[in-house]
Structures are given as structure tokens and as C-alpha cells.
Amino acid sequence: MTMKDSPISTKAVTPTIKKKDSKESSTRSIRSTTSTNCSNRSNSNSNSKKVKSSNLQSSLRNISNQVSKSLDFERRRSSINELSQSVKPETPLGWITFLTSISTAVLVHELRLQRRLTCPPLVYSQNSPFMNDLKEHLSHNSNPNSKDKKGILTRDIKPCLLVGTRGVISSTAAYLLHGPKRQQHLQFREVMTMTDGATVALDWEVPYPSYSSSIDIRQSEKQLQANVLYGPIDLPVVIILHGINNDTGFGYMKNLMRSVADRGWIACGMNFRGCGGEALKTPRGYTAAYTGDLRGVVQQIQVRLNNNNNHNHEKKVVHVHEYEEVKNLDADVPVFLVGNSLGANLITKYLGEEGYSGTLPKCIKGGVSLGNPLHIHGGNVKFPFNILLGAGVKKTMFQSSRVFRDMSSCWHFGAAIRQVILSKTIGELDNAFAPYLIRNDTEYPFTTKVGYKDGEDYWKDASSNRYIQHVTVPLLTLSAQDDGLVVNPAL
């Protein structure tokens, strides 16, 4: 029984054992699945922890860099403070020595810069027998008492320290310096009326005559003034024109006029219409293209020159129909033209217009153009000069607001004035007001007109480099390479 019972018990036990195995296998599969999910979760958690840790590390690294930079800055500042404290003098003698050392270093630098900039000018001239003779004459000093035998074309130009070695500072000094204050010659003002009703102020500086004997008849100041205003004028006359937003009261104009009068000539400083304290009579101010005022001044002065004709003490006014007669007067007394910046552009344009038409008065013997921009365009004037020049023109217009107010009934003129007020630069101002600017024909009889198409049309007409080829008298053009208003390609 026992042996029989054993297989039965075995059979009874076997299924039980099989069920247990299946449960274990299912349990194992469940565990394996659970372990896989747990491993995935652990991987994702580990990845997220890695990302968070990397972000945390980068943020900590940035914070550490900023801290190190701040510490480095503080370290440098402390080192600078320590250096300044170590260098800072503690006694008056130390301060004197310290300031002397700095001044010496600055002076040595300026002397080296002055030595580097000192050189003769670059000279360009036309190839003709007359110009070659003139160039040869100006290249040598004809004064036997002078030690320097070089002329103005071959002599070294030596800029002064601090001011002359820097173009911006030298230009600013020309505005700020007042020039000679002591009156050494006869000075008076004449107001001349132009053909369109505008007035220009002429500031004269006439040298007192020298007398060889005590018994010579002396001329009073009234007689000298009458000779200039009514004629005859026996001395050479130099007409000097100023730059934009200036007048004859600026230092460089006073220096030029004094230099001319010291040489025994008559200096005539011409103020543009609306400048020099003379009110603007018409709503047409001066421009860089209109040469009618200069032409009128030359005509009025020409009839006063000592040309061996009878002069009466009546102020003669030249009219347009008399221009052909006046320009043919044989004058023994020469007249020269000198212009600065915008004035240089005007005299060059005037000489070119008259030379092209063959109508240049015979009394005009030559001209000097100082700092001529030659090629005028609103884009050539860079910051901050474009803003400063525009502000100066608007200031002149505000000073003559009464004249422009009379034109306010014309709605288009008022709109142009508003655009001028809102303009920021000189180029925007020219472009806005170009249709109302005064102009003249470039050929005889040089008829006065008003208006340009736009700023480009005005700038093209105003550029004197288009007329310089027609100049028929000697013209000396001087320009600095660091002049901010002169375009080098135009030279």
C-alpha cells in the first residue's frame, strides 16, 4: 500500500508543484517588467538630474566669473589707488616737480608734432609763361634785408603749438579769438544798396598817410573817408569776404584787414546781406552761389578808383545798364579779392563767371581763396559741423524773422520755413529752402533769379570747382589737409 500510495501521492503532489512554478514565473515576469520600468524611470531621473546639475554648474560658473571679474576690478582699482597714492606728491616741492614733469612731457610731444607737421606747401600751378614767372617770383624773397631768402611758396609752414597742430582747435580759435583791439588806422562803415533793394555793410580800414616833411599838408580823417566813399582812391583795395555764419567782427577777419592796412593798402571787409548787424531788407538771404552782391560791390568801388577821370564828391551808384561802360574803365589802382571758406567759394565762382563771359573788370588783378570747399554738397559736411552750421543759419533767419513773417501769407513759403525750423543739418535746411534761394545766371548779364529745383540743383550751381577753369587772373588757393569742410578729391 505504501508503494501504491506513493505514486498517488506523487501524482497528487505534482500538479501542486507545477502551479507553484507558474506563479513564480509570473512573479518573475512581473518583477522583470517592474524592474525595467524602474530602470527607465531611474535613467530619466538621472538624465534630468544631470541636466539640472549642468544648469546649476553653468549658473555657478557664471556667478563665479562675475565675482572674479568684480574682484579683479576691485583689485585693479585698489592697485590704481595705491599707485596714485604712491605717485601723489606730499609736499609743495613734490607737487611742483610732478606738474613740471607732466608739462615737460606734453611740451615734448607738441614739439615733436610741430616738427613733423612743419613743411613747405604742396604747390600746383598752370603751365604758362606768366604763371611760371609768378611762381618763380613767389618762391624767392625779394626783400634784401630779410635773412630768409625763401618765398611764400617754398617757405616752411610752421604751426603754432597746441592750436595750430590740430585742425579742430585751430578752426575753433578762429571763431573765439577777437583779433587786434587797438585801432591803428582809420575805420568806418559804409552801407551799400544792391539792385534788388538789399543792403550790405562794408567795413573799411584805411591807413593814415605818411608825411616826409613837417610842412606837408595833412589830410583830416573826414578827407580820407571822403576819398574812399566818393573817390578818388589812390591806394590798392583788397575786398575781404568772411565765411558762413560769420561777419567782419570775427578775429580772423580783423587780422586780415589789419595785415592789409599795415602794408599801406585799403582793406574793405564785406559783410553778406543780413550779417554784421545790418538788418536783412529782403526775404532773400546770402547763399553759396549768388555772386550778385559781390559783383555790385566791385562795380561801386571801381568807379571811385583814380583812373585819371574827373571825380566829383557825389556818391555814384552804378546801375545795370551802365555795367558795360564801367567794366571797360582803365583803372590804374588795382583791386584784389580775398575770401574765406564760403567767401572763398564766392570769389572763385565770381572770377570764373566773369572770366567765361569776358566781362571781368580791368581793375581786378587777382584773388586769394582760403579754405575753399570747392565741391559743395550737404553730404560732405560731417557731424558735428553739419548740425552747427545748420543751427547758425537758423539763428540768422530768426534774427531776420520780421522779413520772413511778411511772406507768411504765401502758404508754400510758410511750409518751407517750418521745414527749415525742423531740419537738423545744413543739408536738410538747404534742401528744404532751395526753391526760395536767390541765384543769378552764370553768363552775362548775370540776371538775378529765385529758386532751385532741390538741394542737389543748388549744390551743383554753388560748387566753384566748375568755374575755376575759367578764371583769367592769378588766383591763389590755400587749403589745409585737415580742413573738415574741404573735400580732398575736389582739390
Side-chain angles (χ1 to χ4, degrees):
M1 292 296 293
T2 306
M3 296 300 294
K4 290 180 180 179
D5 291 337
S6 61
I8 295 173
S9 61
T10 305
K11 290 180 180 178
V13 173
T14 303
T16 306
I17 295 173
K18 289 181 180 178
K19 289 180 181 180
K20 188 176 179 180
D21 292 339
S22 63
K23 287 181 180 180
E24 290 179 356
S25 62
S26 62
T27 304
R28 289 173 186 170
S29 62
I30 292 171
R31 288 179 179 176
S32 63
T33 305
T34 305
S35 64
T36 304
N37 294 331
C38 291
S39 64
N40 291 333
R41 288 197 191 99
S42 62
N43 290 333
S44 61
N45 292 331
S46 63
N47 291 331
S48 61
K49 289 180 180 179
K50 288 181 180 179
V51 172
K52 290 181 180 180
S53 63
S54 62
N55 293 334
L56 181 61
Q57 290 176 359
S58 62
S59 60
L60 291 175
R61 192 180 299 110
N62 293 332
I63 293 173
S64 63
N65 291 334
Q66 293 178 0
V67 171
S68 62
K69 287 182 180 180
S70 63
L71 292 176
D72 188 32
F73 175 76
E74 292 293 336
R75 194 181 301 110
R76 289 180 181 178
R77 188 170 65 178
S78 62
S79 62
I80 293 174
N81 292 333
E82 292 176 358
L83 180 62
S84 62
Q85 290 295 332
S86 62
V87 176
K88 183 178 178 180
E90 296 180 355
T91 61
L93 181 60
W95 273 107
I96 295 174
T97 306
F98 177 70
L99 296 177
T100 303
S101 302
I102 294 179
S103 302
T104 303
V106 173
L107 181 60
V108 169
H109 173 73
E110 285 296 319
L111 290 173
R112 289 178 179 176
L113 184 60
Q114 183 190 53
R115 190 181 304 110
R116 181 168 58 87
L117 295 177
T118 300
C119 62
L122 297 174
V123 181
Y124 302 91
S125 63
Q126 294 174 332
N127 188 14
S128 64
F130 175 76
M131 293 302 298
N132 291 335
D133 293 341
L134 182 61
K135 182 179 178 181
E136 182 68 20
H137 177 72
L138 295 177
S139 299
H140 299 85
N141 191 356
S142 58
N143 187 4
N145 298 326
S146 177
K147 297 180 180 180
D148 189 4
K149 299 303 180 181
K150 295 182 179 180
I152 61 174
L153 297 184
T154 56
R155 188 184 306 136
D156 288 342
I157 299 177
K158 186 177 182 180
C160 60
L161 296 176
L162 295 177
V163 177
T165 53
R166 291 165 178 82
V168 177
I169 299 179
S170 61
S171 300
T172 305
Y175 284 85
L176 299 180
L177 299 180
H178 298 287
K181 297 181 179 180
R182 184 179 177 183
Q183 183 176 345
Q184 298 179 351
H185 309 285
L186 176 62
Q187 297 177 356
F188 59 91
R189 168 167 286 196
E190 175 189 5
V191 179
M192 189 175 291
T193 304
M194 301 292 102
T195 56
D196 64 338
T199 57
V200 296
L202 304 179
D203 290 322
W204 294 89
E205 188 163 353
V206 183
Y208 291 107
S210 59
Y211 302 99
S212 58
S213 175
S214 59
I215 61 175
D216 292 342
I217 300 176
R218 263 61 173 172
Q219 285 185 319
S220 64
E221 292 185 354
K222 291 185 177 180
Q223 291 175 332
L224 292 175
Q225 184 173 342
N227 291 339
V228 173
L229 296 178
Y230 310 113
I233 298 176
D234 298 321
L235 299 176
V237 178
V238 181
I239 303 175
I240 306 174
L241 279 67
H242 57 80
I244 187 173
N245 301 330
N246 297 167
D247 53 48
T248 56
F250 280 75
Y252 69 93
M253 289 291 294
K254 291 182 178 180
N255 286 325
L256 277 174
M257 296 176 65
R258 178 60 54 85
S259 178
V260 169
D262 288 343
R263 285 165 172 77
W265 304 339
I266 298 177
C268 175
M270 175 182 168
N271 293 280
F272 300 148
R273 52 173 65 189
C275 297
E278 182 64 22
L280 187 65
K281 300 296 192 302
T282 67
R284 314 296 176 190
Y286 69 92
T287 69
Y290 182 62
T291 57
D293 291 345
L294 176 59
R295 186 171 287 106
V297 170
V298 171
Q299 294 171 8
Q300 297 289 341
I301 293 177
Q302 186 182 11
V303 298
R304 308 175 189 176
L305 300 178
N306 188 0
N307 55 1
N308 298 324
N309 292 335
N310 294 326
H311 290 267
N312 52 18
H313 290 279
E314 294 181 0
K315 199 169 184 178
K316 184 175 180 180
V317 178
V318 179
H319 300 284
V320 177
H321 64 274
E322 299 176 349
Y323 178 71
E324 191 67 30
E325 177 184 354
V326 171
K327 75 179 183 65
N328 292 323
L329 292 176
D330 292 329
D332 299 327
V333 180
V335 176
F336 298 93
L337 305 178
V338 178
N340 300 272
S341 189
L342 185 140
N345 185 80
L346 283 176
I347 70 163
T348 304
K349 187 173 184 288
Y350 165 77
L351 293 175
E353 290 174 348
E354 297 283 354
Y356 179 79
S357 299
T359 55
L360 183 67
K362 293 183 179 180
C363 65
I364 302 296
K365 301 301 182 181
V368 178
S369 173
L370 303 175
N372 187 353
L374 291 172
H375 179 250
I376 294 181
H377 193 278
N380 293 339
V381 186
K382 305 301 181 183
F383 177 84
F385 298 104
N386 54 357
I387 298 178
L388 296 176
L389 293 180
V393 174
K394 285 190 282 188
K395 176 186 175 183
T396 304
M397 296 181 68
F398 286 142
Q399 292 174 345
S400 305
S401 59
R402 183 186 61 81
V403 178
F404 294 105
R405 197 181 303 116
D406 296 338
M407 293 285 293
S408 59
S409 57
C410 302
W411 65 268
H412 50 83
F413 188 84
I417 292 294
R418 286 190 291 271
Q419 291 182 5
V420 167
I421 295 174
L422 296 176
S423 61
K424 298 179 181 178
T425 63
I426 184 67
E428 295 178 1
L429 190 149
D430 288 343
N431 192 51
F433 210 59
Y436 308 97
L437 295 178
I438 191 171
R439 61 183 299 183
N440 61 268
D441 287 339
T442 58
E443 298 180 11
Y444 180 80
F446 313 107
T447 306
T448 300
K449 297 180 179 180
V450 175
Y452 292 92
K453 181 180 179 181
D454 52 16
E456 293 289 343
D457 189 23
Y458 163 63
W459 297 325
K460 180 180 179 181
D461 182 46
S463 298
S464 61
N465 60 343
R466 300 172 56 243
Y467 307 91
I468 195 170
Q469 58 182 331
H470 304 299
V471 177
T472 57
V473 294
L475 176 63
L476 177 63
T477 300
L478 297 179
S479 297
Q481 292 183 349
D482 57 354
D483 193 333
L485 299 180
V486 179
V487 183
N488 289 331
L491 294 176

